Amino acid sequence: MAVTEDKHKNIEALEEATIRFAGDSGDGMQLTGGQFTNATAIVGNDLSTLPDYPAEIRAPAGSLAGVSGFQIHFSSKEIYTPGDILDVLVAMNPAALKANLKDLKPGGMLIVNTNAFNETNLKKVNYTSNPLEDAALQSKYKVFGIEISRLTQLALEGSSLSAKHVDRTKNLFALGLMCWLYTRPMEKTIEWLNQKFKDKPDILDANLKVLKAGYHFGETTEVFISSYKIDQAKIKPGKYRNITGNEATVLGLIAASKKAGITPLLGSYPITPASDILHELAKYKQFGFRTFQAEDEIAAIGVALGASFAGGLGITTTSGPGVCLKSEFINLAIKTELPLVICDIQRGGPSTGLPTKTEQSDLLQAMFGRNGDSPIPIVSASTPGDCFEAVFEAVRIAIKYMTPVFFLSDGYIANGSEPWEIPDANKLPNIEVKFRKEKEGFSSYLRDEKTLARPWAIPGTPGLEHVLTGIETEVTTGKINYDPANHDAMVKIRAKKIENIENDIPDIKPVFGGEKGDLLILGWGSTYGSICAATELLIASGHKVANAHLRYLNPFPKNLGAFLKNYKKVLIPEINMGQMNMLIRAKYLVDSQGLNIVAGKPLKVNSITEAAESLLK
Amino acid sequence: MATLEQPKYTKADFESANDVRWCPGCGDYAILSAVQSVMPTLGIPKEKFVFVSGIGCSSRFPHYMNCYGFHTIHGRALTVASGVKSINPDLSVWVVTGDGDGLSIGGNHTMHAIRRNQDLKILLFNNKIYGLTKGQYSPTSELGKKTKSTPMGSIDNPINPVSLAIASGATFVARTIDKNVKHMMEIFKEAAAHKGTAFIEIYQNCLIFNDNAFVDYTEKEVKDDHSVYLTSGKPLVYGKESDKAIKLNGFSAQSTGAKNGDLKNALIHDPTVKDKALAYVLGQMGVENPELPVAFGVLRKVEEPTYQDRLLDQEKQALSKKPNASIEDILNAGDTWVVS
């Protein structure tokens, strides 16, 4: 296409950039961001994204509540986060400006759709005057007021589309302009539009026209002095694709069930931000992946547990409020010792909380949120791509140890994306499934000496008929038993079985920094990127700092206690009020300190370096 | 030609070694015995039966069967059973529940398992009381019922289990009673042969907390005037002297004479009618309008594809569109690039 030929006036090389598209939730900002991301991935930059959208499907147009944003950080170096502050903000209306301006760095580029700055829209967000006319704004940022709506209309003059439809394509003008500004190729977007609107030629035509108009505008107008390029990042050689955490979770579940050779069944009830896993898995029926959209959260885990009893791989996906409802069933799975994978894509709580925002506050719920002593393994993912391996591990542990396992992800990594090195399917470990067949010597709770797992004897196997129950049962026979000594023994066996998994997981070691030092920054889950970036900065400024990241939250790696003692101080940044910190302090009697910012957003690198520096003083 | 020998079972093969711990004289014993008697006649290998239950007196049932069983949590048996059947449609899955378990705490799942036409056999023991928690009113207890939790009488309207099942689209709905073992066995056999959800309400006497709840249908003197037994193709005749019949008047059932010429007005039973209205009218008799007899037998029996049929059908379709799909393919799907 002619539009991607190099017609740039003056190209300035940059190392990295962070930009955010912001507009009304009906403005197509997620789509614009997604397409810009694809183009950036093709260029070979390292990247990290942060979609940020409201819980309301369509909040009132032009309101602050309705602002939807998509942030992307891309670089010629390896990067770990979607960026703390913005180099560029694209604001499609006054609400988007008001909600996002605070994140734009002084001197940063502000691109606004001036047509949306009319009296009605200004009033909706309590601007008494047009902020674009404010001299302070003009001097603080590089402001580019562009008549995006009008230019879109002009590009489509004579089109058969209604005014409303015409206006809807203005996000593609912004996309085209940004593609020009950062020298991104548009082929993939054009291909994508061709596919999406193949049956609607007039809409396709309009979208292509507007996209190109945006690109050409950058090229021909005198507004922009230069455009920018960011070289390919030097990342590990391999084959890559861009992936979100939910997509990686889906692939991990399919790969693990294939490697185990049993039929997977996902029981799920729609809930943000986990629903995409259900949508995606529903597309893989050719792999024998069975998805069951149940009538509620409880039924969803019930069908999954029934599937496991019958010899399938039971999986349920949800978020915190769903975990609340599932807890009685999780305990039944613990008591009956059946494999089950519970994927909790955490969001802001308590109660309905912040459905579309991220948080790490379900850790203690996963750990303890049930009646009785009910130990359960917990595996967490640290980046979008890491969801693949982490959920694969959850499946492996569930089957090998005959236990339900929590897989913790969160809204940030579930919807955020990064380039992901595609694993070699042949090198994935096999997951051995041992269905009991022999009648001789069978007892439903006769355990494997090493793993303490009970036998998996599935209905349909002659001679192994037995009944599972939530009532306490005798240590070996699995028959109902209320004897006090037997209960004490069973409680301890259940604990021991989970504790033993520490022998089957890797030791913890530093990600950055040395084996000993003044400060260890210990993290888990989606804080990985911010902690790594902060640690690199701290090391570069001469501090003896290291960071380590926990994937296995229960049981902890065997060496964790000794490892923590190699550092004078321990900082645990979390997007909760200190849940991991509580577990670490309780188990290892270490005086670790928390950094707790619970704002529904990923932690900023800056917040971590500040907290670390104050501890290092 | 060699023929596959079906294993020959006796009732004893389905009896577990566990002591049965229901109260002496409980109606549950008769139901258990009827189920154990029917199992050997079904031609299904013993290891293919699965009994799933929730919580309550009735839900101890799986422990007394020598079969695969899962005694789950309160109200949720149908969800577990749906999962079992969805992984292995070849199994014969029976759900044992009660009026509290299946209609109160688990009411939601009852509606949804039924509407999906899961190929499950649901035995709902209705004793109109909470037995295991020692005598509170249940969702089927009658208005005004005095119990521990309703000293002045219940102010809740009761639900009629078969009405809920029919409204939810159950493809097989029947009612039977613990004291009529022969009838129970016939119904269980017919339910086992049905492909799809079979919902069976079993009137069951709790002699500790709600004794005599069903005497109208069990006592020799009165039972014939209060019950009508349904037989496909036969008129609905009842009464001690077989002198009464049921006829339809619009959407209502009415009692009429059955002697002389009156019999020609009687309703001829046909459970295969697709329209749910007729089964609904039959299910209401005697329960919501006490002057009429309660109908025992199969109220509705229609054929529809089961959930499992549709599940496997979609799987087949997906496989024919994308045969030989591999993990490599999906891992490498979409836009990829190579860094060298």
Side-chain angles (χ1 to χ4, degrees):
Chain A
M1 295 302 289
V3 288
T4 54
E5 273 171 27
D6 220 344
K7 284 191 188 168
H8 293 268
K9 294 161 281 197
N10 172 32
I11 302 179
E12 195 180 316
L14 296 175
E15 190 177 85
E16 60 171 4
T18 299
I19 70 178
R20 186 185 292 166
F21 295 94
D24 216 37
S25 50
D27 281 345
M29 291 297 102
Q30 300 306 318
L31 185 152
T32 308
Q35 289 303 317
F36 190 84
T37 302
N38 288 345
T40 297
I42 296 298
V43 170
N45 295 143
D46 197 9
L47 66 88
S48 174
T49 69
L50 175 67
D52 182 21
Y53 49 88
E56 292 81 10
I57 301 299
R58 288 280 188 275
S63 68
L64 277 175
V67 174
S68 172
F70 189 102
Q71 183 171 324
I72 172 170
H73 179 197
F74 50 110
S75 172
S76 58
K77 288 191 319 181
E78 192 173 354
I79 52 168
Y80 306 101
T81 74
D84 279 8
I85 52 167
L86 306 173
D87 298 309
V88 182
L89 171 65
V90 180
M92 299 298 281
N93 67 8
L97 179 73
K98 191 161 201 180
N100 293 287
L101 190 62
K102 62 184 183 307
D103 297 329
L104 182 61
K105 72 172 184 196
M109 197 185 280
L110 174 62
I111 298 173
V112 288
N113 175 17
T114 51
N115 297 125
F117 283 69
N118 55 35
E119 207 175 319
T120 325
N121 284 345
L122 291 169
K123 229 185 207 167
K124 277 180 187 166
V125 290
N126 299 323
Y127 274 129
T128 47
S129 63
N130 189 341
L132 301 180
E133 288 157 12
D134 179 358
L137 184 96
Q138 295 284 352
S139 64
K140 193 170 176 193
Y141 309 104
K142 281 181 234 151
V143 182
F144 298 91
I146 300 168
E147 293 181 293
I148 294 178
S149 301
R150 201 176 69 91
L151 290 166
T152 298
Q153 285 161 18
L154 287 174
L156 296 182
E157 216 158 38
S159 152
S160 59
L161 295 184
S162 68
K164 196 170 139 196
H165 276 102
V166 167
D167 189 61
R168 266 194 203 155
T169 62
K170 65 177 182 290
N171 60 326
L172 288 165
F173 189 95
L175 177 61
L177 176 60
M178 293 309 284
C179 282
W180 174 81
L181 192 60
Y182 283 95
T183 54
R184 315 277 101 176
M186 296 204 300
E187 281 84 354
K188 287 288 168 193
T189 299
I190 292 167
E191 224 172 78
W192 178 81
L193 286 168
N194 275 318
Q195 186 58 31
K196 185 172 164 82
F197 296 115
K198 64 176 177 221
D199 301 326
K200 292 170 183 161
D202 47 342
I203 294 184
L204 171 64
D205 183 55
N207 277 293
L208 291 175
K209 265 188 187 152
V210 173
L211 177 72
K212 290 173 194 172
Y215 195 95
H216 291 146
F217 178 80
E219 216 166 66
T220 51
T221 180
E222 298 291 314
V223 175
F224 298 97
I225 299 156
S226 62
S227 59
Y228 306 98
K229 73 168 188 178
I230 288 163
D231 284 338
Q232 200 172 31
K234 285 178 196 66
I235 41 182
K236 198 177 148 222
K239 190 175 178 190
Y240 284 81
R241 67 185 276 188
N242 193 47
I243 201 158
T244 67
N246 276 348
E247 286 166 354
T249 303
V250 164
L251 296 181
L253 287 169
I254 296 172
S257 62
K258 273 278 167 194
K259 288 291 174 180
I262 52 176
T263 305
L265 187 144
L266 170 73
S268 188
Y269 186 76
I271 186 169
T272 303
S275 305
D276 282 340
I277 303 176
L278 168 63
H279 307 160
E280 277 299 306
L281 283 172
K283 294 178 191 162
Y284 292 104
K285 292 186 171 57
Q286 69 275 20
F287 284 95
F289 213 110
R290 296 180 180 171
T291 54
F292 190 115
Q293 182 179 315
E295 57 270 27
D296 58 33
E297 293 280 358
I298 301 172
I301 186 171
V303 293
L305 188 61
S308 289
F309 175 52
L313 171 61
I315 303 158
T316 190
T317 49
T318 189
S319 189
V323 176
C324 294
L325 287 163
K326 292 179 196 295
S327 48
E328 190 183 7
F329 252 127
I330 298 172
N331 252 354
L332 183 66
I334 289 172
K335 167 60 193 52
T336 55
E337 303 190 36
L338 284 168
L340 181 72
V341 178
I342 304 131
C343 302
D344 175 6
I345 316 304
Q346 301 166 91
R347 67 189 217 188
S351 190
T352 305
L354 304 170
T356 61
K357 311 291 176 196
T358 203
E359 210 160 286
Q360 295 185 295
S361 48
D362 294 352
L363 172 60
L364 295 183
Q365 181 187 26
M367 189 76 186
F368 300 121
R370 294 165 298 281
N371 68 307
D373 284 302
S374 56
I376 188 167
I378 307 170
V379 181
S380 67
S382 54
T383 69
D386 186 53
C387 289
F388 179 87
E389 248 181 74
V391 83
F392 195 99
E393 267 296 272
V395 174
R396 180 186 74 85
I397 292 171
I399 290 175
K400 183 167 177 184
Y401 294 90
M402 292 291 283
T403 177
V405 176
F406 258 105
F407 163 72
L408 293 184
S409 167
D410 65 32
Y412 165 38
I413 53 178
N415 292 316
S417 66
E418 64 174 356
W420 178 58
E421 191 189 351
I422 300 168
D424 182 348
N426 298 313
K427 287 188 185 151
L428 295 172
N430 269 324
I431 297 175
E432 194 190 355
V433 171
K434 290 182 275 189
F435 290 134
R436 171 89 187 200
K437 299 278 181 212
E438 316 79 50
K439 267 168 78 169
E440 207 57 47
F442 171 74
S443 232
S444 57
Y445 278 71
L446 190 64
R447 291 167 194 281
D448 180 283
E449 279 176 19
K450 201 162 162 234
T451 61
L452 296 182
R454 66 170 199 88
W456 199 359
I458 63 172
T461 317
L464 304 186
E465 290 86 350
H466 63 282
V467 178
L468 296 180
T469 175
I471 302 178
E472 188 60 284
T473 44
E474 201 272 332
V475 165
T476 310
T477 61
K479 301 277 182 202
I480 290 179
N481 188 309
Y482 298 106
D483 177 59
N486 178 72
H487 178 56
D488 183 59
M490 279 303 286
V491 168
K492 285 169 184 164
I493 290 168
R494 283 190 284 264
K496 188 76 196 153
K497 182 174 91 164
I498 304 309
E499 229 173 85
N500 271 354
I501 299 171
E502 69 177 15
N503 298 310
D504 196 13
I505 59 174
D507 276 353
I508 191 142
K509 54 181 192 206
V511 182
F512 289 106
E515 298 274 356
K516 285 185 189 309
D518 294 333
L519 177 71
L520 174 74
I521 308 178
L522 181 68
W524 69 276
S526 72
T527 51
Y528 177 82
S530 310
I531 294 175
C532 284
T535 308
E536 275 199 319
L537 289 172
L538 290 160
I539 292 171
S541 54
H543 294 298
K544 287 173 81 179
V545 173
N547 78 299
H549 216 72
L550 289 162
R551 164 178 284 174
Y552 302 89
L553 312 185
N554 192 40
F556 284 133
K558 214 175 174 176
N559 69 330
L560 182 58
F563 178 80
L564 293 172
K565 300 205 161 75
N566 291 336
Y567 301 89
K568 288 183 190 149
K569 287 181 175 173
V570 178
L571 172 67
I572 305 181
E574 292 180 87
I575 312 173
N576 62 45
M577 286 299 282
Q579 300 192 8
M580 175 59 74
N581 196 21
M582 184 188 283
L583 294 178
I584 294 288
R585 292 175 72 100
K587 179 147 189 194
Y588 301 110
L589 300 175
V590 168
D591 187 20
S592 50
Q593 300 298 311
L595 165 64
N596 310 103
I597 301 171
V598 199
K601 291 194 288 196
L603 290 184
K604 291 194 169 177
V605 177
N606 191 29
S607 312
I608 299 170
T609 51
E610 272 175 18
E613 272 159 357
S614 87
L615 278 180
L616 285 163
K617 263 177 205 157
Chain B
M1 219 174 83
T3 54
L4 272 177
E5 279 275 322
Q6 282 292 352
K8 297 258 185 298
Y9 299 112
T10 64
K11 185 184 176 204
D13 290 317
F14 290 90
E15 295 169 354
S16 83
N18 296 325
D19 292 336
V20 184
R21 292 186 183 179
W22 287 311
C23 307
C26 178
D28 289 358
Y29 284 92
I31 305 172
L32 175 66
S33 172
V35 171
Q36 286 166 337
S37 302
V38 166
M39 294 289 115
T41 70
L42 299 178
I44 297 170
K46 187 166 79 85
E47 65 273 12
K48 290 198 173 174
F49 287 107
V50 182
F51 282 80
V52 186
S53 65
I55 294 291
C57 293
S58 60
S59 288
R60 290 299 182 99
F61 200 95
H63 292 285
Y64 308 139
M65 296 292 299
N66 185 20
C67 293
Y68 283 98
F70 204 157
H71 178 201
T72 70
I73 53 177
H74 205 8
R76 321 296 174 198
L78 281 165
T79 70
V80 172
S82 298
V84 169
K85 191 75 186 173
S86 296
I87 282 293
N88 187 354
D90 199 29
L91 299 170
S92 177
V93 184
W94 296 64
V95 175
V96 183
T97 183
D99 41 320
D101 191 59
L103 298 172
S104 194
I105 190 166
N108 192 29
H109 310 306
T110 301
M111 171 168 80
H112 292 282
I114 290 174
R115 83 175 158 86
R116 293 190 186 104
N117 203 26
Q118 291 279 358
D119 190 11
L120 305 171
K121 314 303 155 202
I122 306 170
L123 310 180
L124 186 136
F125 295 16
N126 182 7
N127 58 12
K128 300 191 177 185
I129 200 80
Y130 281 111
L132 198 65
T133 51
K134 301 184 177 174
Q136 301 82 9
Y137 73 118
S138 90
T140 53
S141 297
E142 55 275 21
L143 194 66
K145 177 84 178 173
K146 285 190 177 167
T147 69
K148 281 183 187 159
S149 55
T150 51
M152 294 173 72
S154 163
I155 55 172
D156 294 13
N157 283 316
I159 189 166
N160 180 355
V162 297
S163 296
L164 175 77
I166 294 163
S168 304
T171 51
F172 183 103
V173 185
R175 187 190 280 131
T176 184
I177 184 162
D178 57 2
K179 287 279 169 61
N180 192 339
V181 173
K182 192 168 154 268
H183 188 255
M184 276 196 289
M185 287 174 61
E186 282 167 18
I187 296 293
F188 297 159
K189 275 185 204 173
E190 214 173 328
H194 176 74
K195 256 181 88 60
T197 308
F199 180 90
I200 304 167
E201 179 190 12
I202 307 167
Y203 282 174
Q204 172 249 321
N205 190 47
C206 170
L207 82 171
I208 306 294
F209 296 109
N210 200 18
D211 199 15
N212 297 327
F214 302 106
V215 280
D216 284 354
Y217 324 111
T218 56
E219 290 310 298
K220 209 172 171 190
E221 290 305 303
V222 292
K223 66 176 183 182
D224 294 330
D225 285 328
H226 289 100
S227 353
V228 56
Y229 279 82
L230 307 172
T231 309
S232 186
K234 295 276 165 59
L236 273 68
V237 174
Y238 69 104
K240 220 170 178 178
E241 312 293 331
S242 297
D243 54 342
K244 286 178 269 192
I246 297 295
K247 68 168 186 178
L248 274 187
N249 180 11
F251 285 110
S252 300
Q254 280 183 351
S255 184
T256 180
K259 296 289 178 196
N260 309 319
D262 287 345
L263 194 58
K264 70 175 190 302
N265 297 324
L267 176 66
I268 309 291
H269 186 49
D270 181 6
T272 65
V273 176
K274 277 254 173 196
D275 190 311
K276 299 183 192 96
L278 180 64
Y280 196 88
V281 169
L282 295 177
Q284 281 185 300
M285 292 193 325
V287 182
E288 280 141 280
N289 37 7
E291 73 282 4
L292 292 176
V294 164
F296 293 96
V298 180
L299 302 169
R300 184 166 200 255
K301 187 167 94 171
V302 297
E303 277 182 32
E304 275 176 32
T306 66
Y307 182 88
Q308 285 72 28
D309 291 338
R310 288 171 171 149
L311 175 81
L312 296 180
D313 185 52
Q314 283 197 345
E315 226 166 74
K316 215 184 278 170
Q317 280 180 42
L319 200 59
S320 72
K321 274 186 204 152
K322 290 180 187 165
N324 314 316
S326 70
I327 306 180
E328 283 83 353
D329 294 339
I330 59 161
L331 291 178
N332 289 280
D335 295 333
T336 63
W337 67 96
V338 174
V339 176
S340 48

